[in-house]
Structure formats: C-alpha cells, structure tokens
Amino acid sequence: MLGYLVNRTLLMIPTLAGVAILIFFMLRVVPGDIVEVKMRGDGGNVTQETLDYERKRLGLDQPLHVQFGQWMVGVATLDLGNSMWTDRPVVEEIGIRMELTLQVAVMATIIAVLVAIPLGTISALFKDSWIDYLVRIVTIAGLAVPSFWLGMLIILALLYWFNWLPPITYTPIYVDPVANISQLIWPALAVGYRYSAVVARMVRSSIVEVMKEDYIRTARAKGVFEKMVVSRHAMRNAMLPAITVIGLEFAFLIGGLVVTEQVFNLNGIGRLFVQAVSRNDFTLIQSIVMLIAVVFILSNLVVDLLYAWLDPRIRFGGR
Amino acid sequence: MDSNRRDFMKAAAFTAAGIGLLDALPAHAQGAPKRGGTLNFAISAETPHYDAHGSDTFATLHFGSPFHSTLLQFDLANYPKVKADLAVSWEVAGDLMTYTFKLAPNANFHDGSPVTSADVKATYDRMRNPPTGVVSTRKATFEDIDTIETPDPKTVVFKMKAPNPAMLEHFASPWNWIYKASILAGNPNAPRTAIMGSGPFRFGEHVKGSHVSGTRFDGYFKSGQPYLDGFRGVFMTQPAAMMNALQGGQVQAEFRGVSPAERDRIVQVMGNRIRAEESSWTLNLMIVFNTEKKPFDDVRVRRALHLAIDRRGGAVGLARTATLRDAGGLIRPGSPFAMKDEDLLKVPGFGRDMNAARAEARRLLREAGVPNLTFVLHNRNLAQPYTPAGIFVVDQWRQIGVNVEHRQSETSPYLAGMSSGNFDVAIDFSNLFMDEPSLALAKYLSFNRAPENRSRAIDAEMDRLYAAQARERDDKKRFELIRAFEKRALDQAYQVPLLWWHRIVLTHANVMGWQMSPSHNLGQDLSGVWLNA
C-alpha cells in the first residue's frame, strides 16, 4: 500500500507540470492585457510611461520562458507570488475563499452521502414499486433543477415564511459555529440535493446490477439473512461506482459553484476564479487552476484508496 | 459675479431636485442624532484599489470615504453649495486667482499625527503632477493650479494660472482625499494598497470579495461625530441578492441606486419600514463612435445612428424598468445650464417625429455608402442600466436597416477596451459629481486634451468654445457659449447623449442623517448618519 501511495504521489508531478504548462501558455495566447485592464479598467487616463512601468513591475516585460521559469520555481517552493490585480499574495487571496468553499463542499458531500445511499438502496431493493418511483421522481427532479435556482427558492422561502435570511458575510466555524452553519447550510442543501440525486441514481443502478450477480444468489442459497446479503455482499460492491461519482463531484465543487455563490453572496473560489479571468489576473488564474487540479488528483487518489479498502481484489493487486 | 452664479445654480438645482420624490424627512428634520450601532450597507461593486485620486468608480468612494477627509464638501442640504470639511474657513480672491484655506486645528490622521498644510500640498501635488507609476484621473482638473504654498502648518494657499469659476466646487470633489505627506514621500503609490486617513471612521478590515468595515474614530475633528459605532459595507454584485438582503435586514441601505422594479418590490413588501428617495442623477449614458475607425470617421454615419434613436419613446419605456428616465442634452436636464426641453425638442435626434428622423438617417447612410451597415456595440455587462440600454439602441438601429452585434464585457475589460480604442461603437457613461458645465463638457474636448473622450475625435472649434465658457463669469453669456458647444457636439455626433439616469435609493426607515443628492459620489463619509433604534 505504501508503494502504491508513493507511486501515485510521484505521478502527480508530471500531471501538475502538464497542467502548469497548458494553463501558463494558453493564458498568454488569449487576447487581453492585465496592465491595460488594471490601469485603465476603472476609467483612469494613464500614460504609456505608467503602463510600461507597471508591466515591468509585474515582470511582464520578460521573455515568456523566463516568466514561466520564475513561476515554476515559485510553485516548487510553494511561493505562488502576488495577484497581478491586487498585489496581495495569491495564497492570501485564495486562502480567504478556500475555507468557505471547502466547507460548503464537505457539507454538501455529507448531505449527499447521507441522503443518496439510503435512497438509492431502498429504491433498488424495492425496484418498480411505488417507493422506487417516488425516489426516482425525487432524484430526477434533483438532476433537472439547477442548484442556483433551488438556492433562490430557498432564499425566497426563508424570506416569505420567516422573514429571515442567513448571514451574508462568512464567519469561520471556530469563531461562531452557529453563524457559520446558519450561513452555509443553505447553499450546502441546494448543492447537496443535486449531488445526492446523482449519487442516488448511481447507487440504485449499481445495487440493481449487483443483486443479479451469482455470489448474491449463492449467499441467499446458503441461507444468509437478506439484510446481511445487502449490507455485506451487495453494498460493498455497489459502492465502487458511487464513490467515483462522489469523488468527482466533490472536486467539481471547488471552483464550480459560481452561480450558487452569487445567489447566496458567498465569497468562494468560483467567484474569485471568474473575477480573475475577467481581469486577466494571470498569477491568480494559474494558481486557482493548479489548486483545482490538485483537488481532482487528490480526490481521485482517495477514491482509489477507498476502492482498495472496499474490494480485496484491488487491494492485493489481483494476487 | 460669482455669488450671482451660485444663486443661479442653487435655484436651478433645487428645481431639478424637485423631480425627486423625497418620501423622507430631510436629514436636519429627523430629530436629535443618537449615538451607537453599526450600519450595514451594500456596495454593488468592489473597489480595485484604495486610491480615489486614480479612480472614477463609485465603488472606491463608497468603500473609502468614511476613512478620509477632503478640504471642502458639498452641502447636500443646500446643493450645490459647499461647506467645510478639513478646511474650517476659506477665502477666495476677487480675481479668483488665490484660494486660502485654514485647516481644522484639531484634525488628526488615524495614527494620531496632525493634518497639516504639508499634507494638503503633497496630496494636491500628487493629483496634478503624479509621479511615475501613480495614476491620477484628476490631473486635468487641477491644471489651473500654479503653486501651492504653506505659510504655516494650518494654512494652505493655492495660486492659479488662470481664473476658474468652478474651482471651489473642485476643492469639494469627493475624490480629493487628503493623504499623509510622509507616507507619500516614502511611496507615492502607498494609498493604492493602504489606508491612512483623517475621516470619521478608522479602517477595520477589508475581506476581499466580502466586505469592508470601519470603527468610529474618537479623534475625529468634527465635534460629536460620527454617531455610528461602526459600519460594514458588504460587496453584493447581484441585484437580486442585494434586494433579498435589504428585505431580510442583512443590510440597511444601498446608496448607489436601484431600478424602479426593485424599488416597487421592496416597498410593496416592507411598507413603511423602508424609505425610497429619488432624484434625477448626474449620470448619463452616451453613444460613442470610434472616429479612428471606418465608417465612423464619416459624420453622416454618426449622424444617421444618432438620428435613429427615439429617445422620447425610449425614456417612457425604459423608465419603467431601468434606472434611465430623462432625454437631455450634454448637461443634466433641469440643472442650471441645461437646455430647456422646448429647445431640445427642436434639436435633431431629440424630437418626436421619428418617421422623419429615420428617413433622414437612411438617406445619410445611403449617401455615405453604407446602407446595410454592420458593427459591434461594445457595452458593459451590468444589468442596470447598460443591458436594457444596449438592447434598446440595437433595436432602434435595426429599424433603419443597421445590423448590430451587442457584446457586453465585465467592467474592467469594458473600460480598458474604451481607453485603448478597441471598439467600433460603444455605450459610454458620464459620471459627474456636480452640475458644473466645465466638468460635464470636458468629456467632449479633443482626445489629445481629454483622453476620457472615447471617440478619439479632435475638434479645435469645440476646444475653443469650451475654453470660452470655462472662463466666462457672466452666466447668461456662458449659457449661450454652452449652447454653441452643445450644437457643435450634436452636429458632429462624435459622441451623443442617450438618456440621463434616475436615482432611487432605498434605506431602512431607521437609517437617519443620510442626505439624498443627484450624485451617488457625494455624501458617503457617513459622519452624520445615525440609527434610530
């Protein structure tokens, strides 16, 4: 297992290097000039001399390969540099938002897992019954309804029935857990509903498939209780594709909640990413893309480790 | 002469303000101020930096005005009169060539050091002669200043190269925050990233993308003020989220302005718990043609596109949903130097006979050899009022056979595109903080004199007329010069007014002491604001 972990960790390096090369050079190809946008972007009248000065200060007068080398050295030493737009450290810009985004993603994942696994299992075990139909309606609705729209409904419902809205500025959970949860539970619910719908449908179809397998029939023939058949034999195998989906969805939530963040006025990574793109803030865009890549890689790693834990065939490498 | 001018402006300004439906009592009639409480308000954009000298966006003022002081302020209860801020008294020489200000003896920066004449000099020097790397959008405003003298720590004397009748109002500009000389000496660009002011509130925190906060500065030089313990400005870029927050009580005000539909929704739900104040607005949208690009270098094309727009009809329709209301010329309708409506009706492009206007527009396009003109309209991606305005003009031009692609961009790329001339035709805006013609017309000066003229046109005749009106101290003669300038501007149609904005501000009924005005740039230091429990 340790060797597997080391291998996977080492594989991250070429993957991230590939992402870094792609994002760095693609950004330089896209039209737009950070200095123009920054210095003239609030309507100011700026001389060419000032533009040149700023370009030099940001290092944009250097050849591309020099800029790339400097950035890669920074990444390797965990120094992501400063935002070209705000002049503040990128780590600080991302750090402010990451805490919130990560918490929403974790809460939405917890909601999704808690809702999806029981619903998907019940739906599969009572296939083609009214329970199954009900669960399918609920999950199809979850797929069809955009999270941001559900978020708007939640806000309007809170206003209409309780004349109350969640706090609009973020308070860390260690500072005030009540304020924190009362702000973030609503976007987590809005996102978690769609998330749980995706996972529940995957759990249902996996269990339906697994329940037809020979080893399930064998277990039943041996007189194993149905509850045991489901929990020990069916669920473990059926969880494999569901875990893949959970991992991918979790990674998507880091940076993929732009509109939901707007609806709830959340200061998250998604909004920051959109702002950075609109401002051509190269260093910030590069860092966010790298962050999202790392999250995807890590979530895939966790999924693979869970695979190995759930399935002995994978754990022992087919021996 | 100067006092006549002020009386004239004041009388006319109140006529203009009469458009406002001031549901609220004026600030002075709201009872004795109470101390305490924190005001939460929404700011619909986040400032890109902290330096008002290099900014033209309200986002910088709504963010930072509570932390800073200026020499003078506009007296919003008696707009457009000015009143003291850091300068407790001032003298203007009869020939308008010398301005002497006495600073408040007890004015201190938030670090406890006194505000001196050296700070005022350093501030104004930075604005009029910005060092390399410093952006000053106020440079042209103060080009009439010759020297700044500091005979003692609390006296500052401005000597002018030429008389400027609007100079006192410029000293009251909300953008002219006084910075600390020693900080500027160390790093002239320091105000872009750090806050050190002498305003009613100390800087608390700026959580990027979330909010800014301030706490009461107990050493503030105005006795008893501020009344609030503190404030928190929350960045809310989505109007729907902002309206929900107002309704839910998370914020108690939004000081820039909302649309009529948003006002109606909130007033219907909240009744007398919300206050809606309205005024005409010193903001207008303009259509600007890039005269460096063909075929917009041809006056016939520009005139055709100008004539095709039914501003009267548009004003009626857009006023229901957008923050646009009045058809007007280059000066805010109803303000002292504006063209009277009956005269405006006779100006091509502002009349009611649209069939005739559009027939003329088609003829001009045929004559210019572009009967099936196609171009891209460069616009800002703000819902109010840019999007409806863009849709409106695209439809107007479609009616004369012109095919337009409406392309909207984020604010910064939009403005950068305008500054660099990377557009065909654009919707531009004129954001004024007062009704001073020299300020309003500056955008129409030749591009080599006024880079904010996005049409990039050079017109010596307009420059001549501008200079003549700016130095003219007889209001009647100045009025005529302004009309001549306006006629030339509309005939050449390098850039033409579309519609003037209408300001609607919503505040919770317990927010007291805030004063409505025709500019969202004014009166945002919050020193006189208090909360009625």
Side-chain angles (χ1 to χ4, degrees):
Chain A
M1 184 62 89
L2 186 64
Y4 177 75
L5 262 180
V6 171
N7 270 342
R8 290 295 303 264
T9 309
L10 288 175
L11 267 176
M12 285 173 70
I13 296 170
T15 311
L16 288 174
V19 172
I21 292 168
L22 270 178
I23 187 63
F24 183 90
F25 289 100
M26 281 172 69
L27 277 176
R28 268 62 181 184
V29 172
V30 173
D33 180 356
I34 169 74
V35 176
E36 278 275 345
V37 173
K38 182 181 179 182
M39 306 304 280
R40 291 179 162 161
D42 59 357
N45 304 311
V46 183
T47 61
Q48 189 58 44
E49 187 189 19
T50 302
L51 293 178
D52 294 341
Y53 175 88
E54 184 67 7
R55 201 163 274 122
K56 188 173 180 185
R57 197 180 67 82
L58 295 176
L60 293 171
D61 58 337
Q62 302 283 324
L64 273 189
H65 66 275
V66 175
Q67 291 181 43
F68 181 70
Q70 287 169 345
W71 181 54
M72 286 312 291
V73 168
V75 170
T77 55
L78 297 180
D79 175 10
L80 299 177
N82 288 350
S83 157
M84 289 182 170
W85 185 264
T86 63
D87 290 325
R88 288 173 195 276
V90 164
V91 171
E92 189 184 301
E93 292 283 354
I94 292 177
I96 297 167
R97 279 92 169 177
M98 191 60 192
E99 196 176 317
L100 181 150
T101 298
L102 204 56
Q103 192 183 337
V104 172
V106 169
M107 287 170 73
T109 304
I110 291 170
I111 290 168
V113 169
L114 290 180
V115 171
I117 293 177
L119 273 190
T121 308
I122 290 168
S123 184
L125 295 178
F126 296 93
K127 186 170 170 281
D128 294 333
S129 70
W130 68 269
I131 297 175
D132 182 29
Y133 289 133
L134 184 67
V135 172
R136 283 159 73 178
I137 289 169
V138 170
T139 52
I140 288 170
L143 292 177
V145 172
S147 299
F148 73 87
W149 189 73
L150 181 63
M152 287 163 71
L153 288 187
I154 289 173
I155 284 179
L156 291 176
L158 290 172
L159 266 178
Y160 185 79
W161 278 306
F162 305 106
N163 199 26
W164 179 86
L165 274 184
I168 47 173
T169 51
Y170 176 67
T171 310
I173 195 161
Y174 47 83
V175 173
D176 185 346
V178 175
N180 175 276
I181 298 294
S182 63
Q183 182 192 22
L184 298 188
I185 188 67
W186 311 106
L189 278 173
V191 173
Y193 177 40
R194 194 197 70 85
Y195 194 166
S196 62
V198 174
V199 178
R201 288 186 67 78
M202 183 57 75
V203 169
R204 179 189 176 277
S205 56
S206 297
I207 291 182
V208 166
E209 282 299 311
V210 166
M211 293 302 278
K212 292 175 191 162
E213 295 287 337
D214 290 348
Y215 61 86
I216 298 291
R217 194 164 56 238
T218 305
R220 280 175 173 154
K222 284 163 70 179
V224 179
F225 291 121
E226 187 65 13
K227 201 183 270 181
M228 194 71 84
V229 169
V230 172
S231 61
R232 289 287 300 274
H233 298 281
M235 288 284 280
R236 279 182 85 111
N237 286 291
M239 279 305 102
L240 298 179
I243 284 170
T244 308
V245 170
I246 290 170
L248 287 175
E249 285 284 320
F250 178 83
F252 164 77
L253 294 182
I254 310 295
L257 294 179
V258 180
V259 187
T260 307
E261 286 172 4
Q262 301 271 23
V263 167
F264 288 97
N265 205 51
L266 296 180
N267 190 23
I269 291 286
R271 256 169 74 173
L272 180 69
F273 196 14
V274 171
Q275 278 177 1
V277 170
S278 71
R279 294 165 175 170
N280 293 345
D281 190 344
F282 293 159
T283 44
L284 193 51
I285 297 170
Q286 289 161 190
S287 300
I288 295 174
V289 170
M290 293 298 282
L291 171 75
I292 293 171
V294 168
V295 171
F296 263 97
I297 290 169
L298 288 179
S299 67
N300 273 323
L301 177 63
V302 171
V303 165
D304 288 350
L305 293 176
L306 284 172
Y307 265 36
W309 177 64
L310 285 167
D311 190 339
R313 291 169 300 180
I314 298 169
R315 194 184 316 163
F316 300 115
R319 274 177 288 169
Chain B
M1 186 69 76
D2 200 44
S3 64
N4 283 343
R5 180 181 157 273
R6 292 236 163 69
D7 292 342
F8 173 63
M9 285 188 72
K10 184 180 170 185
F14 275 113
T15 311
I19 298 166
L21 308 170
L22 298 181
D23 295 347
L25 291 169
H28 58 82
Q30 291 175 338
K34 295 173 185 167
R35 283 173 77 86
T38 299
L39 175 73
N40 294 305
F41 64 97
I43 309 177
S44 56
E46 184 173 4
T47 185
H49 54 78
Y50 302 159
D51 183 9
H53 297 179
S55 176
D56 264 339
T57 166
F58 79 98
T60 308
L61 292 180
H62 286 212
F63 176 102
S65 290
F67 306 127
H68 293 279
S69 305
T70 49
L71 268 183
L72 302 174
Q73 290 179 334
F74 278 90
D75 180 357
L76 299 185
N78 301 292
Y79 178 84
K81 270 191 167 180
V82 298
K83 65 177 183 180
D85 196 25
L86 272 175
V88 288
S89 66
W90 57 94
E91 283 176 22
V92 183
D95 59 1
L96 302 185
M97 292 296 282
T98 306
Y99 294 78
T100 306
F101 296 94
K102 291 280 182 190
L103 304 181
N106 56 340
N108 291 319
F109 286 105
H110 295 158
D111 63 358
S113 59
V115 180
T116 67
S117 52
D119 300 312
V120 176
K121 176 176 164 50
T123 295
Y124 276 82
D125 281 342
R126 182 176 186 267
M127 283 191 283
R128 66 198 187 103
N129 292 315
T132 302
V134 171
V135 178
S136 170
T137 53
R138 318 268 99 81
K139 189 176 174 183
T141 303
F142 294 113
E143 65 184 9
D144 281 336
I145 295 175
D146 187 19
T147 59
I148 303 173
E149 294 167 9
T150 54
D152 66 62
K154 290 293 178 184
T155 305
V156 59
V157 181
F158 292 82
K159 299 222 162 152
M160 314 300 291
K161 293 174 196 162
N164 181 338
M167 205 61 213
L168 209 55
E169 283 83 2
H170 281 303
F171 284 124
S173 161
W175 307 98
N176 305 342
W177 296 344
I178 303 298
Y179 296 143
K180 194 170 167 176
S182 59
I183 291 178
L184 295 181
N187 175 10
N189 240 339
R192 220 174 154 84
T193 52
I195 294 172
M196 175 50 64
S198 54
F201 294 90
R202 278 179 193 272
F203 176 65
E205 64 173 355
H206 174 201
V207 178
K208 290 274 180 184
S210 176
H211 64 274
V212 58
S213 66
T215 54
R216 178 167 48 218
F217 176 40
D218 289 325
Y220 188 50
F221 59 92
K222 290 182 185 171
S223 177
Q225 290 186 347
Y227 305 115
L228 296 169
D229 290 337
F231 74 89
R232 189 170 58 156
V234 183
F235 311 125
M236 307 194 80
T237 52
Q238 288 302 306
M242 189 199 296
M243 289 300 107
N244 290 336
L246 261 174
Q247 188 181 335
Q250 276 84 354
V251 295
Q252 294 141 303
E254 192 280 329
F255 295 116
R256 179 173 178 264
V258 300
S259 72
E262 288 162 346
R263 172 203 58 200
D264 293 347
R265 177 197 140 184
I266 292 291
V267 169
Q268 186 184 11
V269 174
M270 296 188 68
N272 60 8
R273 291 182 294 124
I274 194 86
R275 180 190 301 123
E277 297 179 69
E278 302 194 18
S279 166
S280 57
W281 205 338
T282 52
L283 254 169
N284 80 343
L285 285 189
M286 312 149 77
I287 305 293
V288 53
F289 304 102
N290 188 341
T291 58
E292 290 183 348
K293 288 198 174 181
K294 287 190 179 298
F296 308 105
D297 56 342
D298 187 332
V299 66
R300 293 168 298 185
V301 175
R302 300 194 301 265
R303 278 180 63 83
L305 296 173
H306 164 50
L307 288 174
I309 299 169
D310 179 7
R311 292 173 173 79
R312 303 277 168 180
V316 174
L318 287 169
R320 294 195 200 104
T321 54
T323 53
L324 296 169
R325 180 167 292 191
D326 301 312
L330 273 53
I331 309 282
R332 180 171 69 100
S335 66
F337 289 97
M339 194 187 300
K340 291 182 177 60
D341 199 50
E342 56 267 32
D343 296 330
L344 189 68
L345 275 166
K346 298 170 196 161
V347 176
F350 294 89
R352 295 191 194 281
D353 186 355
M354 286 312 298
N355 288 333
R358 289 193 178 122
E360 172 66 1
R362 287 192 200 93
R363 187 191 68 77
L364 286 167
L365 287 181
R366 277 197 304 274
E367 198 178 292
V370 284
N372 302 311
L373 181 62
T374 298
F375 61 84
V376 174
L377 176 69
H378 179 66
N379 196 5
R380 194 175 185 179
N381 73 342
L382 290 185
Q384 284 297 340
Y386 295 86
T387 300
I391 293 168
F392 169 68
V393 292
V394 167
D395 176 64
Q396 297 294 295
W397 289 329
R398 184 186 53 78
Q399 295 182 44
I400 58 165
V402 173
N403 182 28
V404 182
E405 182 192 334
H406 186 196
R407 196 176 293 166
Q408 294 187 265
S409 309
E410 292 277 334
T411 297
S412 295
Y414 157 81
L415 289 171
M418 302 278 275
S419 297
S420 59
N422 187 21
F423 69 95
D424 296 330
V425 179
I427 291 188
D428 193 7
F429 62 95
S430 174
N431 177 11
L432 310 171
F433 65 90
M434 64 171 170
D435 294 302
E436 162 55 38
S438 294
L439 197 65
L441 303 181
K443 203 172 172 64
Y444 296 83
L445 283 169
S446 288
F447 178 58
N448 54 0
R449 291 194 56 200
E452 68 268 30
N453 176 351
R454 314 297 186 190
S455 76
R456 309 172 89 81
I458 306 287
D459 191 316
E461 174 61 8
M462 286 179 68
D463 296 345
R464 187 191 67 75
L465 287 166
Y466 178 88
Q469 68 79 29
R471 304 284 177 236
E472 180 56 61
R473 294 171 66 184
D474 181 309
D475 283 331
K476 283 183 182 166
K477 287 181 187 166
R478 191 179 187 202
F479 190 88
E480 294 309 316
L481 286 165
I482 290 168
R483 292 290 78 75
F485 182 95
E486 196 166 38
K487 182 175 186 315
R488 173 82 184 169
L490 295 174
D491 282 347
Q492 292 300 315
Y494 307 117
Q495 47 188 334
V496 291
L498 179 61
L499 288 170
W500 285 80
W501 297 32
H502 183 74
R503 189 176 182 210
I504 304 170
V505 171
L506 297 174
T507 52
H508 278 217
N510 69 333
V511 177
M512 303 292 184
W514 181 82
Q515 189 80 45
M516 183 64 165
S517 76
S519 170
H520 62 303
N521 297 319
L522 301 177
Q524 287 308 130
D525 73 0
L526 306 180
S527 59
V529 175
W530 54 281
L531 297 174
N532 199 6

